[in-house]
Amino acid sequence: MPVIKYPRIRDPLFYEWDRKAQKCGLRHTIYAVNGDQYTGEWLDNLKHGKGTQIWKNTGAIYSGDWKFGKRDGYGSYSIPDPVTKEYKRVYTGWWENDRRGGRGMFFYPNGECYEGEWSNGLRSGWGKMQYKDGSVYEGQWLVDQPHGQGVLQLPNGNRYEGGWKDGKKHGPGKFFYLDKGQQLEGIWVADIPKCGVLVDFGRDSAPAPPQYPLPEIELHNPAGVLAEARAMFDDSHN
């Protein structure tokens, strides 16, 4: 009985070409259609592991960890100076799902700097912000604004310690006027002190004390008045 041989069924050539084009493991520089380039590790055709990405349009560079095609882990992001063309570091720290997430340091174009916690690309958690005018805020953040408890140190040495809400002093707090040797303890609402007790605090050694000392309050108990104001504030916000 004759034996009939059929031709071996083979996959189309483009299947083989596609298999060879799949990127996995450490690869040399890969160029995208738009001119971006990536050098580093891959997994299932996605950037995964350690790698460096350069964006053609902006010249920005990210070097660090990747996870399934997105920046995730620890890495550094830098951009070239438009005048000197030298690279300036913008952010160094942790990333989550292609956004700043975790702890990291961010350098602003105007010279300001933030070091602390991030969430979804925004300052959230505990962090320290150094402003251009010399002020320093350290405390809690929420959605890119001071929110919770924190301390603001002003360039002249004066400082505020207390509550914050949406970037403004809010709630019980203390303001130390070290230049005048006085202290205000009270309740703030949207950056404005609504009530409180102002007392002399190291007035004799202050660089610019007021001409006359504050009179002593005899008819009321300052601590009691302040405690009552705090209670009223807490009740109105519960």
Side-chain angles (χ1 to χ4, degrees):
M1 184 175 180
V3 177
I4 302 176
K5 295 184 178 180
Y6 293 95
R8 182 180 177 183
I9 300 177
R10 299 183 60 183
D11 292 331
L13 285 177
F14 68 83
Y15 279 15
E16 180 67 14
W17 296 338
D18 184 65
R19 185 187 65 79
K20 291 182 178 180
Q22 294 295 312
K23 295 177 282 293
C24 189
L26 182 62
R27 295 288 296 269
H28 295 296
T29 302
I30 302 295
Y31 292 88
V33 177
N34 61 2
D36 296 346
Q37 60 185 75
Y38 172 81
T39 305
E41 296 176 303
W42 298 79
L43 179 64
D44 295 335
N45 217 33
L46 294 173
K47 302 164 192 170
H48 190 92
K50 301 288 186 181
T52 299
Q53 168 95 11
I54 302 178
W55 287 266
K56 182 181 179 180
N57 289 339
T58 62
I61 293 180
Y62 169 81
S63 182
D65 295 326
W66 296 80
K67 186 176 181 180
F68 301 119
K70 296 181 179 181
R71 291 169 291 185
D72 199 296
Y74 190 85
S76 182
Y77 179 80
S78 303
I79 59 174
D81 184 274
V83 178
T84 65
K85 305 303 180 183
E86 295 181 358
Y87 275 91
K88 290 186 175 182
R89 183 174 49 171
V90 176
Y91 177 78
T92 297
W94 293 92
W95 300 73
E96 294 178 356
N97 196 29
D98 220 32
R99 294 182 177 183
R100 293 182 293 273
R103 189 165 186 85
M105 181 178 291
F106 190 94
F107 300 89
Y108 294 85
N110 61 359
E112 296 180 345
C113 175
Y114 171 82
E115 182 178 7
E117 297 175 315
W118 298 79
S119 179
N120 293 321
L122 301 175
R123 294 168 290 185
S124 292
W126 189 271
K128 181 179 181 180
M129 181 75 185
Q130 300 183 26
Y131 296 96
K132 187 176 181 180
D133 64 357
S135 301
V136 178
Y137 170 83
E138 185 171 4
Q140 294 175 304
W141 294 75
L142 182 65
V143 195
D144 231 28
Q145 296 285 352
H147 191 101
Q149 294 294 312
V151 177
L152 175 66
Q153 183 87 29
L154 300 177
N156 62 1
N158 294 347
R159 71 179 186 272
Y160 168 80
E161 302 177 0
W164 295 79
K165 182 180 180 181
D166 299 329
K168 296 181 179 181
K169 294 182 280 293
H170 193 87
K174 297 179 181 180
F175 201 107
F176 296 88
Y177 299 91
L178 299 184
D179 57 338
K180 298 180 180 180
Q182 294 179 333
Q183 171 190 320
L184 173 62
E185 182 175 1
I187 304 296
W188 272 257
V189 176
D191 252 358
I192 300 174
K194 292 297 184 178
C195 66
V197 177
L198 183 65
V199 297
D200 286 328
F201 176 76
R203 180 176 177 275
D204 295 337
S205 60
Q211 185 177 0
Y212 301 104
L214 292 170
E216 295 183 2
I217 300 176
E218 298 179 353
L219 298 178
H220 300 284
N221 179 6
V225 173
L226 187 56
E228 183 178 350
R230 284 183 174 177
M232 294 176 61
F233 178 85
D234 293 338
D235 291 342
S236 64
H237 286 75
N238 289 335

